[in-house]
Amino acid sequence: MIDYIVFSLVAPMGSFGGLAGHERRGSDAAPGRSALLGLLGAALGIRRDDDAGQRALDRWQTAVGVLNDGPPLQDFHTVQTVPSANIKAPATRADALRALKPSDNAVITRRDYRMDCVFVVAIWDGEDADRMIAAMRQPLFTPYLGRKSCPLAAPMAPIMVVAENVVEALSAAQLPDWLPPMSLRRVISDQPTAGAIAETLWDQPLDREAWHFGPRTAYVSQVNHSHSEGESNA
């Protein structure tokens, strides 16, 4: 039996890494390890330049269960950079806008999101589980699902669960009572699960300040496990 902290992530929109080119910022279908550790760090108030704090976060093992990854959504941004030769330093944003010329071509960029997100998460083998649960209930920094424009729709509702395996633990996570009954469809775990296939994912944080990420082996399993509604945590 293993002690797990399990919690839920429910949001109308989310965005999870993936392709990150200049003209397009893609999104995976579920939050990766980097996103999960980032949420834990936000709850604890750990900043990106806190190397010791980031190393402590990396001790946690993670698994995410997909109940609903929702349909994709894409929006567009117009990005326009004013050549520094056109403005005098120091300059305000208003100065930069006044310095725009017709030859300063705008670039259209795309941002990918997932809608109607419902995920459950299990973490284990980290330090001070009681402190982590308390921080998730009263986070120091505002948690969001990938981008600041994607706030959570309900508290994370962390609880401690003793279970034989990660699928059993994820099935005990509490969801808001206004959600319809759902089934756990897919599990992506740091540790092997029954029937899982090993995949290489590039979501292991190496340097938060420099936004460097490395590969890790994740174990992906398809499941059809009923999830209880849980108690209301609104």
Side-chain angles (χ1 to χ4, degrees):
M1 303 294 279
I2 301 174
D3 293 338
Y4 297 92
I5 298 175
V6 297
F7 58 96
S8 61
L9 296 174
V10 181
M13 293 174 60
S15 185
F16 316 112
L19 179 67
H22 174 62
E23 294 186 5
R24 182 178 180 183
R25 297 293 176 89
S27 175
D28 294 329
R33 177 171 170 81
S34 175
L36 298 177
L37 295 182
L39 277 167
L40 302 182
L44 291 167
I46 297 175
R47 297 183 180 276
R48 290 193 178 98
D49 59 359
D50 182 350
D51 291 336
Q54 295 294 337
R55 286 194 299 271
L57 285 176
D58 195 48
R59 297 189 184 103
W60 287 98
Q61 298 293 293
T62 65
V64 58
V66 178
L67 280 75
N68 187 46
D69 52 14
L73 172 71
Q74 188 173 99
D75 71 355
F76 299 86
H77 293 232
T78 302
V79 178
Q80 193 163 19
T81 302
V82 182
S84 57
N86 292 6
I87 56 177
K88 296 180 180 180
T92 65
R93 183 175 177 84
D95 294 332
L97 291 173
R98 284 193 292 268
L100 282 174
K101 297 180 179 180
S103 58
D104 297 330
N105 293 328
V107 176
I108 303 298
T109 65
R110 295 177 290 170
R111 302 290 187 269
D112 291 347
Y113 300 85
R114 309 295 298 198
M115 299 178 64
D116 301 326
C117 300
V118 184
F119 304 101
V120 289
V121 180
I123 60 173
W124 66 99
D125 284 352
E127 294 181 349
D128 201 343
D130 290 339
R131 176 173 175 251
M132 178 62 76
I133 290 175
M136 294 177 70
R137 289 174 176 165
Q138 291 186 307
L140 290 178
F141 297 154
T142 302
Y144 47 85
L145 208 53
R147 294 197 183 119
K148 291 183 179 179
S149 59
C150 303
L152 299 180
M156 292 182 279
I159 58 173
M160 183 69 73
V161 172
V162 180
E164 292 187 359
N165 57 66
V166 71
V167 175
E168 180 182 330
L170 289 169
S171 299
Q174 296 181 346
L175 297 178
D177 59 4
W178 42 263
L179 285 176
M182 293 184 172
S183 294
L184 187 61
R185 296 161 35 198
R186 187 168 75 256
V187 173
I188 306 158
S189 175
D190 285 339
Q191 297 295 325
T193 56
I197 297 174
E199 295 187 8
T200 299
L201 302 180
W202 286 78
D203 60 359
Q204 172 62 44
L206 302 178
D207 187 327
R208 286 287 185 181
E209 284 197 284
W211 292 93
H212 289 168
F213 304 91
R216 69 166 174 126
T217 300
Y219 298 90
V220 182
S221 57
Q222 306 295 326
V223 297
N224 186 10
H225 198 288
S226 296
H227 192 288
S228 60
E229 282 187 23
E231 299 177 3
S232 171
N233 55 67

